[in-house]
Amino acid sequence: MSSTTYHPFTPAPAPPSDLGFYRVLSPRAGIRVSPMCLGAMNLGDKWGMMMRSVSKEQSFKVLDEYYNTGGNFIDTASNYQDEESEKILGEWMELRGNRDQIVIATKYTTNYKPGDPSVKQKISYVGNNIKNMTVSVENSLKKLRTSYIDILYVHWWDWDTSIKEVMDGLHNLVVSGKVLYLGISDTPAWIAAQCNQYADDHGKTPFVVYQGQWSVLERSFERDIIPMARLNGMALAPFGVIGGGRIRTDEEEEQREKDGRKGRTRFGEDWKRTEDQKKICRALEKVAKEVGASNIRSVAIAYVMQKTPYVFPIVGCSNVENLKENLEGLKISLSPEQIQFIEDEGPKFDHGFPHSIIRDGTQSSWMVQMAGQTQRVALPSAIRPNNGN
């Protein structure tokens, strides 16, 4: 028996990094997760033709660093790296014996057997339908070497499967114990809202988190998705928060040109930034100097985390150095003025109709103010960096 002075009511020690200041996922989901989610899409070497490959050995190093510094939230999908991502995660969790300490989010919908010559008919491996849902989840459980998935996402809306079929099927997975929470990704806000309304009206399990593309370079997310998530009690798990690799300084871009590294070309050969993107990057660089940040990407991460509550950015890392650099974003506190400055340096964001008339609900309607001066309870604000309170 150990003689260490352990007391069952002793408060937990300070975490090794800000990853260990856990947050409740959303108003609908009480599970506590790290403020930054580790993206596992690049863990594996099957997609080397379109993104940087990360060997299993290197993947384990990144996973160990994330876990050892307090991280517990990891995002993957059935198809990432032609199934290798889930397999690497499953083997890592089994070897480390930490499955129940990790919150694993995975996705179904996308065909995950595109290059498998043994599968002649691939049509049953795609879409939101219950057939693919069932087969995909069973296979993910095997690859992840687990009996349950913490968060299962609909990867993207296929426009063919009904809301009823999707929500009934997902609910049955939750009832079976194979899935704990549900999420939805790459889907119009109005569909996500209707799905949750159906779930609430029929005693089914609702979506508790929305995943989609959002960064200071691409702000469409702010138009309908953020207000939808706020009204539906959903968390936000944005990907692409560092602009698909385009958030870089002028100096960094010049260096890439010299050494031939260039940038990501997954969706085309043009890896350089546009003039508008350069202006925003220069604004990020100015703010980085003001807050003492070592790089502008950490400021871009702080930007999405401090615009609205319940934001858990998904950040992929190909090595330990990348991870440490990105973690700096958890320490940065941006003032409203700094956020406004960054936004003003880019193209004017068009909220579009009807927001151009009724706004987004964050401020009292100007039409109401025409009838009389009012006071409103402020909307919940984002957690600021700090001390774990």
Side-chain angles (χ1 to χ4, degrees):
M1 195 85 178
S2 173
S3 60
T4 56
T5 56
Y6 165 76
H7 190 282
F9 298 111
T10 301
S17 81
D18 291 273
L19 283 173
F21 287 122
Y22 306 107
R23 302 179 180 184
V24 170
L25 180 63
S26 77
R28 286 183 182 252
I31 190 168
R32 293 180 174 85
V33 296
S34 294
M36 183 183 293
C37 180
L38 180 64
M41 184 170 70
N42 61 341
L43 300 188
D45 56 13
K46 301 299 185 184
W47 288 0
M49 78 297 292
M50 63 180 182
M51 63 171 57
R52 185 180 298 179
S53 295
V54 183
S55 67
K56 183 169 76 171
E57 180 183 11
Q58 185 65 29
S59 296
F60 275 33
K61 290 180 180 178
V62 172
L63 290 166
D64 282 340
E65 180 70 17
Y66 178 76
Y67 171 68
N68 290 333
T69 53
N72 74 340
F73 195 9
I74 303 175
D75 179 87
T76 185
S78 61
N79 69 303
Y80 287 171
Q81 297 290 337
D82 290 351
E83 305 186 82
E84 199 170 64
S85 175
E86 286 187 322
K87 291 176 181 177
I88 288 173
L89 283 172
E91 184 178 349
W92 175 76
M93 290 188 295
E94 185 173 80
L95 288 172
R96 301 298 184 262
N98 63 6
R99 168 63 189 100
D100 289 346
Q101 300 170 50
I102 303 298
V103 177
I104 286 288
T106 193
K107 312 173 190 73
Y108 89 100
T109 303
T110 306
N111 172 22
Y112 55 94
K113 298 286 187 181
D116 189 338
S118 68
V119 180
K120 294 183 179 180
Q121 296 185 18
K122 297 180 170 58
I123 198 64
S124 292
Y125 295 97
V126 69
N128 300 148
N129 58 79
I130 290 180
K131 167 74 170 180
N132 184 40
M133 184 191 300
T134 301
V135 174
S136 183
V137 167
E138 289 298 331
N139 278 283
S140 287
L141 290 172
K142 292 175 184 176
K143 288 177 285 185
L144 291 167
R145 307 187 188 192
T146 185
S147 61
Y148 68 98
I149 293 165
D150 296 281
I151 301 171
L152 177 66
Y153 283 98
V154 171
H155 205 159
W156 42 270
W157 197 250
D158 71 2
W159 297 106
D160 293 320
T161 312
S162 69
I163 287 175
K164 182 181 189 306
E165 180 177 348
V166 171
M167 301 312 289
D168 287 354
L170 291 172
H171 176 70
N172 288 340
L173 287 173
V174 174
V175 172
S176 72
K178 294 178 180 179
V179 174
L180 305 186
Y181 295 100
L182 302 177
I184 188 165
S185 172
D186 300 352
T187 296
W190 68 268
I191 291 178
Q194 282 208 339
C195 286
N196 271 14
Q197 189 65 59
Y198 174 83
D200 289 342
D201 290 347
H202 296 84
K204 307 297 181 179
T205 307
F207 293 122
V208 301
V209 57
Y210 183 100
Q211 183 174 145
Q213 183 181 12
W214 181 29
S215 76
V216 68
L217 300 184
E218 173 48 70
R219 296 176 55 201
S220 300
F221 198 83
E222 299 175 27
R223 188 171 291 114
D224 287 307
I225 293 168
I226 290 179
M228 178 278 297
R230 183 167 62 237
L231 291 174
N232 280 267
M234 296 169 68
L236 298 165
F239 62 81
V241 294
I242 53 176
R246 288 182 180 244
I247 293 181
R248 61 178 86 101
T249 64
D250 293 345
E251 183 180 2
E252 288 171 335
E253 185 155 301
E254 289 171 8
Q255 189 59 46
R256 284 173 181 265
E257 184 100 60
K258 288 179 182 178
D259 61 26
R261 282 186 302 129
K262 298 185 178 180
R264 297 182 194 176
T265 55
R266 182 167 33 139
F267 299 113
E269 293 302 314
D270 187 9
W271 62 276
K272 291 186 177 181
R273 300 166 300 161
T274 65
E275 287 304 313
D276 284 335
Q277 290 171 343
K278 288 179 182 179
K279 290 178 183 177
I280 295 174
C281 287
R282 288 166 189 152
L284 291 171
E285 189 172 12
K286 181 178 184 297
V287 171
K289 292 176 181 177
E290 293 173 354
V291 299
S294 66
N295 68 91
I296 66 172
R297 287 163 292 281
S298 59
V299 178
I301 291 170
Y303 170 85
V304 298
M305 294 188 72
Q306 292 172 38
K307 288 270 289 186
T308 191
Y310 303 105
V311 175
F312 300 85
I314 299 171
V315 181
C317 304
S318 57
N319 54 57
V320 171
E321 290 68 33
N322 285 161
L323 177 58
K324 290 179 178 179
E325 177 184 276
N326 291 329
L327 289 181
E328 188 179 41
L330 300 180
K331 295 182 177 295
I332 296 171
S333 182
L334 299 177
S335 69
E337 292 76 21
Q338 287 170 324
I339 289 175
Q340 190 64 54
F341 168 71
I342 293 169
E343 293 179 346
D344 287 345
E345 289 300 294
K348 181 175 174 57
F349 179 57
D350 181 11
H351 282 86
F353 177 85
H355 306 289
S356 56
I357 296 176
I358 62 172
R359 298 178 180 168
D360 63 0
T362 57
Q363 300 173 345
S364 181
S365 169
W366 63 273
M367 288 185 282
V368 171
Q369 295 291 354
M370 289 169 62
Q373 296 301 311
T374 63
Q375 293 180 319
R376 301 174 76 223
V377 174
L379 293 174
S381 59
I383 295 174
R384 312 299 291 182
N386 92 125
N387 52 18
N389 289 335

